[in-house]
Amino acid sequence: MRKMNYLFGAAALGLGVLVGTLGMSLLTNSSSPTSFISKLRGQDKIQTVSGTLSDPVKIPPNSDVVAGGTSENENENGSKIPQTNHGTLTDKESLLAQQIITDYKQNIGIFFGAWKSTDMATFRAKLAKAYTGDLFEKHARRAEEYLVQGIGLDVTQITFDQIDVESVSENAATLRVDYRYTARDYNLTDGAPVGDEHEQIVQVRVNLVKQTSRWMITGESTIQ
């Protein structure tokens, strides 16, 4: 009987070590099921970064603001004139579109910055500065799944390849956006990135609405 107790004890100890080892491996391996980077936009659009990205935008520490290129054309004075699929915007629409694009880029920075939050209350407070409506709740539900496991996201650079203004009015707008970002998982407990860096490709159509003086993201659909 004593021998059986020893055997069960040894088996339990070995199982505990195995579970612990697997848990640490899952946390640090960015291709594992519990890795946020492998689930954010779909693993088929994630590539391990092996070289330098073209025209990268560096993300300063604790900064929510990002910048990058768009599909705008320059006029003779060097200022940017956004275009829709139907032609060049009027001066009034052009100024409005530039503000929308600026706010959108800042919103993306806020989104990624929120993924270093250590609790859901902080995450929701940060995200509320950039998103509204059902999409806000969708991102919050997704975040809770990972943040409770101590897994966030560390984004180091974003490249906006193209931003097209498809429609614009005083209170609503639709953008067609292509951008890339470099990221890896983030250990919220240790406050440090883990795993390999990956380049994530995003191609979306985005709906925005104006709330007070700021344009908020209210809808987003992936373009295949």
Side-chain angles (χ1 to χ4, degrees), residues 3 5 12 24 71-72 77 96 121 132 140 148 156 169 171 177 183 204 215:
K3 184 178 294 186
N5 288 338
M24 182 59 67
S71 61
E72 302 162 342
N77 297 322
L96 189 59
T132 188
V148 296
T156 54
S169 68
N171 298 304
V177 183
V204 290
W215 288 87

Side-chain angles (χ1 to χ4, degrees), residues 25-46:
S25 175
L26 289 174
L27 183 61
T28 58
N29 182 0
S30 57
S31 64
S32 70
T34 57
S35 166
F36 178 62
I37 186 64
S38 69
K39 298 295 183 180
L40 184 60
R41 295 284 181 181
Q43 197 163 356
D44 58 327
K45 286 191 175 183
I46 297 177

Side-chain angles (χ1 to χ4, degrees), residues 39-216:
K39 298 295 183 180
L40 184 60
R41 295 284 181 181
Q43 197 163 356
D44 58 327
K45 286 191 175 183
I46 297 177
Q47 302 173 354
T48 300
V49 176
S50 57
T52 303
L53 295 179
S54 60
D55 301 323
V57 176
K58 298 294 183 181
I59 308 301
N62 303 319
S63 174
D64 287 335
V65 180
V66 296
T70 74
S71 61
E72 302 162 342
N73 291 334
E74 292 188 4
N75 64 14
E76 293 179 357
N77 297 322
S79 61
K80 300 293 185 178
I81 304 178
Q83 293 187 326
T84 68
N85 292 335
H86 307 292
T88 303
L89 302 175
T90 65
D91 290 343
K92 181 179 179 180
E93 290 174 333
S94 177
L95 291 174
L96 189 59
Q98 288 178 26
Q99 182 59 52
I100 293 168
I101 291 171
T102 297
D103 283 359
Y104 173 74
K105 291 180 179 181
Q106 291 177 339
N107 290 342
I108 295 301
I110 291 170
F111 170 76
F112 288 129
W115 273 97
K116 288 186 177 180
S117 304
T118 56
D119 58 79
M120 282 305 300
T122 302
F123 179 90
R124 294 178 72 93
K126 290 182 178 180
L127 196 68
K129 298 177 182 178
Y131 287 78
T132 188
D134 292 340
L135 185 58
F136 170 88
E137 294 297 336
K138 178 181 178 181
H139 281 308
R141 288 193 298 269
R142 174 179 287 177
E144 188 169 17
E145 177 185 353
Y146 291 93
L147 296 187
V148 296
Q149 301 178 62
I151 302 172
L153 190 70
D154 179 59
V155 176
T156 54
Q157 60 189 31
I158 302 174
T159 302
F160 286 91
D161 295 310
Q162 182 173 342
I163 300 181
D164 291 331
V165 180
E166 292 193 337
S167 65
V168 58
S169 68
E170 291 291 338
N171 298 304
T174 301
L175 304 179
R176 165 65 167 85
V177 183
D178 292 356
Y179 70 91
R180 296 165 285 141
Y181 63 90
T182 301
R184 50 182 169 171
D185 290 317
Y186 189 80
N187 187 316
L188 296 173
T189 302
D190 296 337
V194 295
D196 296 329
E197 280 193 329
H198 294 266
E199 182 189 51
Q200 177 70 49
I201 301 170
V202 181
Q203 298 174 316
V204 290
R205 178 165 285 107
V206 183
N207 296 321
L208 301 97
V209 295
K210 190 175 184 180
Q211 291 191 353
T212 314
S213 60
R214 182 169 180 79
W215 288 87
M216 310 279 285

